[in-house]
């Protein structure tokens, strides 16, 4: 038997921004006695040209009505015009696994994790419904605004540029430039996975008041960490609305004494942690994992203070950009050269700086102020030791990879990225220490003040 395709007044593929979540959608179901029930939905996801998926969370009455009467009506709003469309849908099935379910689950979990409510919300399933009619609500202009499409030749040109870079720092710059050139989004950051596979650290950013170089996120925690851990893009059209909706749902479904207060707009660092690059009034957020050879290399994330800034097409382009960069990064790591050592030099300055190293986490403090920790801290401490003991100022990547005293696993995989991170932190935090590339696989350590090295117990 051949299935009959619905005849839609408006094609749902022509109204993609209605499914971005910038404006809440509502669903109306009917009970056995004909009593209507209207409630709001977390997500209405467009599956294909004739199907949508609705998030199934707390709404027992809606769930019961759908079981009794599989027909419902869903309203969706086009944020750029305010046009409202009514979808007549018929329930088909509930999915508790698969790509659509995982995509919706990741988005909800990421927003909940951002607010510290990771264990409160749980997507029970996604109700896949067939769209039998889609009509524009009377009173609105029939024509939408022109769509913003990205020419494929521009995407191809950026892709070619990423494959042509010869240095890691150049690659990060090309990624961030592409976000502004292709998409018009000047606020972006690149985070890489560390050697343990447990954290992401910021290695490059653009458009923010502070670069956030060295700031960390634990994989699996918070909005960015959940996206990285699930290896799934997360696109939030209005972070403030999503948070308010989550709080409202929690207040309705939780006891009176568990109502949640508004949380901070950005992840809160500890006293010694470096703050993430974050807009003070961020509304839209797009986090995309960088994958190479089935492994998580890092994430690229974009922010905007405009609600609904990132479109579905943008998500596709950023996904291509992120994975292309991840493959280029893997190639650069494999092709790192190892030229011979250079000479030595030493400098003196009038005032000494106390550099204190804590072996427990390889954190380094300059005159009592935190600078960096982890792999980059271990590298800096080793460089300064050799500078003090041997008077050396020129080093090579190869010798660091072979230096057993650093004692960290797989350091060769992330060495160059850590050196870039270390250089950026030194540029931001002090004027008397800096690292400069002196050739391929070589760098020079500039020290403009005397140093006193102290190793903590």
């Amino acid at each position: 038997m051949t299935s009959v395709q619905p005849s839609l007044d408006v094609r749902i593929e022509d109204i993609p921004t209605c499914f971005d979540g910038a404006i809440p959608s509502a669903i109306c179901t009917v009970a056995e006695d004909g009593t209507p029930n209207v409630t709001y939905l977390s997500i209405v996801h467009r599956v294909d040209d004739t199907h949508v998926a609705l998030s199934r969370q707390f709404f027992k009455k809606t769930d019961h009505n759908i079981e009794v009467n599989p027909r419902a009506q869903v309203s969706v709003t086009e944020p750029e015009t305010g046009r409202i469309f009514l979808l007549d849908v018929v329930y088909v099935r509930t999915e508790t696994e698969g790509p659509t379910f995982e995509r919706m689950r990741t988005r909800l979990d990421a927003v909940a994790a951002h607010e510290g409510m990771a264990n409160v919300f749980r997507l029970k399933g996604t109700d896949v419904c067939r769209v039998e009619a889609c009509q524009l609500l009377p009173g609105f202009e029939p024509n939408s605004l022109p769509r913003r499409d990205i020419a494929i030749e521009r995407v191809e040109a950026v892709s070619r540029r990423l494959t042509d870079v010869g240095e890691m720092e150049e690659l990060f710059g090309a990624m961030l430039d592409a976000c502004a050139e292709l998409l018009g989004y000047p606020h972006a950051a690149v985070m890489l996975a560390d050697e343990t596979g447990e954290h992401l650290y910021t290695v490059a950013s653009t458009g923010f008041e502070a670069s956030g170089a060295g700031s960390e996120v634990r994989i699996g925690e918070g909005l960015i960490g959940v996206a990285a851990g699930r290896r799934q893009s997360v696109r939030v059209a209005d972070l403030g609305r999503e948070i308010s909706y989550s709080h409202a749902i929690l207040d309705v479904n939780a006891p009176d004494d568990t109502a949640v207060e508004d949380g901070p707009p950005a992840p809160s660092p500890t006293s010694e942690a470096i703050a993430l690059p974050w807009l003070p009034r961020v509304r839209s957020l797009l986090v995309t994992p960088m994958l190479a050879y089935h492994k998580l290399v890092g994430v690229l994330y974009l922010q905007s203070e405009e609600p609904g800034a990132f479109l579905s097409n943008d998500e596709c382009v950023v996904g291509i950009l992120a994975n292309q960069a991840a493959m280029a990064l893997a190639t650069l790591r494999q092709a790192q050269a190892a030229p011979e050592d250079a000479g030595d030099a030493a400098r003196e300055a009038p005032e000494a700086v106390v550099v204190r190293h804590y072996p427990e986490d390889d954190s380094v403090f300059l005159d009592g102020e935190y600078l960096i920790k982890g792999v980059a801290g271990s590298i800096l401490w080793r460089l300064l030791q050799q500078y003090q003991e041997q008077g050396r100022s020129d080093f090579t990547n190869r010798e660091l990879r072979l230096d057993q005293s650093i004692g960290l696993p797989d350091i060769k995989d992330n060495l160059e990225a850590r050196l870039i991170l270390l250089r950026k932190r030194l540029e931001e935090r002090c004027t008397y220490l800096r690292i400069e590339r002196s050739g391929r696989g070589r760098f020079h350590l500039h020290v403009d003040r005397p140093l006193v090295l102290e190793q903590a117990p």
Side-chain angles (χ1 to χ4, degrees):
M1 180 177 177
T2 304
S3 60
V4 178
Q5 294 295 322
S7 177
L8 306 181
D9 292 346
V10 178
R11 301 186 307 172
I12 60 175
E13 61 264 36
D14 291 336
I15 53 172
T17 57
C18 289
F19 306 98
D20 288 343
I23 298 177
S25 298
I27 181 173
C28 178
T29 57
V30 180
E32 302 99 312
D33 60 359
T35 303
N37 180 73
V38 179
T39 190
Y40 286 102
L41 293 163
S42 294
I43 300 176
V44 179
H45 174 73
R46 184 171 71 90
V47 177
D48 55 35
D49 295 346
T50 56
H51 292 84
V52 295
L54 315 179
S55 56
R56 176 187 282 260
Q57 286 174 277
F58 299 104
F59 311 119
K60 295 182 179 180
K61 183 63 176 177
T62 299
D63 294 345
H64 175 73
N65 287 354
I66 287 291
E67 292 175 1
V68 174
N69 180 3
R71 295 184 175 274
Q73 190 170 74
V74 177
S75 69
V76 294
T77 304
E78 192 174 54
E80 63 267 33
T81 64
R83 298 191 306 167
I84 299 175
F85 299 86
L86 300 180
L87 312 181
D88 293 337
V89 302
V90 178
Y91 170 80
V92 176
R93 64 183 180 276
T94 296
E95 295 181 352
T96 56
E97 60 182 8
T100 299
F101 174 80
E102 287 301 324
R103 180 180 180 85
M104 295 171 66
R105 182 172 74 99
T106 298
R107 174 178 158 184
L108 290 173
D109 289 352
V111 173
H114 180 79
E115 285 295 282
M117 296 187 289
N119 297 321
V120 175
F121 296 99
R122 183 174 64 88
L123 183 64
K124 295 187 292 183
T126 59
D127 292 340
V128 178
C129 300
R130 183 176 66 255
V131 181
E132 295 199 331
C134 176
Q135 296 180 336
L136 173 66
L137 200 66
F140 292 93
E141 290 291 331
N143 297 322
S144 64
L145 296 177
R147 294 178 59 177
R148 178 171 60 81
D149 293 321
I150 302 170
I152 191 65
E153 60 268 18
R154 296 183 62 199
V155 178
E156 194 273 338
V158 169
S159 177
R160 192 166 57 246
R161 189 191 316 168
L162 293 178
T163 59
D164 288 341
V165 297
E167 298 292 340
M168 195 175 292
E169 191 166 10
E170 183 184 356
L171 174 65
F172 299 144
M175 290 176 63
L176 298 177
D177 289 345
C179 292
E181 293 173 10
L182 282 179
L183 307 171
Y185 302 133
H187 304 97
V190 180
M191 304 188 77
L192 297 183
D194 68 5
E195 298 73 23
T196 67
E198 296 180 354
H199 293 85
L200 299 166
Y201 63 94
T202 304
V203 71
S205 66
T206 185
F208 299 98
E209 184 175 347
S211 74
S215 54
E216 293 186 350
V217 168
R218 180 178 289 276
I219 294 176
E221 295 183 2
L223 197 153
I224 296 173
V226 168
R230 304 274 179 87
R231 302 184 182 187
Q232 174 70 61
S233 292
V234 172
R235 178 164 54 96
V236 180
D238 193 333
L239 185 60
R241 189 197 69 78
E242 295 271 9
I243 292 172
S244 298
Y245 181 86
S246 299
H247 285 185
I249 293 299
L250 182 61
D251 291 344
V252 168
N253 290 275
D256 293 339
D257 59 351
T258 60
V260 179
E261 297 180 357
D262 289 342
S268 300
T270 61
S271 58
E272 292 182 358
I274 304 165
L276 281 172
W278 203 266
L279 291 174
R281 292 176 294 276
V282 60
R283 298 290 294 276
S284 299
L285 190 68
L286 174 58
V287 184
T288 302
M290 300 165 56
L291 304 175
Y293 302 111
H294 307 290
K295 293 183 179 180
L296 177 71
V297 175
V299 299
L300 170 63
Y301 73 83
L302 291 75
Q303 293 184 13
S304 174
E305 293 183 340
E306 295 295 325
F310 307 121
L311 309 180
S312 56
N313 286 352
D314 299 335
E315 184 176 351
C316 294
V317 172
V318 173
I320 294 171
L321 173 66
N323 288 332
Q324 181 77 46
M327 294 299 294
L329 183 61
T331 302
L332 287 174
R333 285 172 170 170
Q334 294 171 359
Q336 286 175 345
E340 69 279 0
D341 293 350
D344 51 67
R347 296 175 180 267
E348 294 184 358
E351 294 184 23
V353 177
V354 177
V355 182
R356 190 168 179 83
H357 174 247
Y358 292 83
E360 182 178 1
D361 60 356
D362 283 311
S363 58
V364 176
F365 288 72
L366 302 178
D367 278 343
E369 293 189 3
Y370 171 73
L371 174 68
I372 205 161
K373 69 176 181 178
V375 179
S378 177
I379 292 172
L380 177 61
W381 182 247
R382 184 57 178 160
L383 296 178
L384 296 181
Q385 282 182 315
Q386 295 195 26
Y387 171 81
Q388 289 283 69
E389 297 169 3
Q390 304 174 25
R392 294 188 56 199
S393 295
D394 291 276
F395 302 88
T396 69
N397 292 7
R398 181 175 183 273
E399 67 178 284
L400 291 180
R401 294 192 193 98
L402 298 176
D403 192 337
Q404 296 298 317
S405 68
I406 295 177
L408 293 167
D410 298 327
I411 190 170
K412 60 180 180 299
D413 292 339
N414 275 310
L415 175 61
E416 190 172 346
R418 293 300 189 173
L419 286 173
I420 293 172
L421 168 61
L422 177 58
R423 181 182 62 77
K424 289 181 178 293
R425 284 293 292 169
L426 290 173
E427 287 178 353
E428 294 177 353
R429 305 295 291 183
C430 67
T431 59
Y432 47 84
L433 283 176
R434 65 185 186 276
I435 292 175
E436 293 181 353
R437 291 183 64 253
S438 56
R440 189 170 180 83
R442 303 170 61 180
F443 60 92
H444 184 82
L445 174 67
H446 292 271
V447 182
D448 295 333
R449 290 173 59 181
L451 304 177
V452 178
L453 304 187
E454 294 184 355
Q455 178 83 290

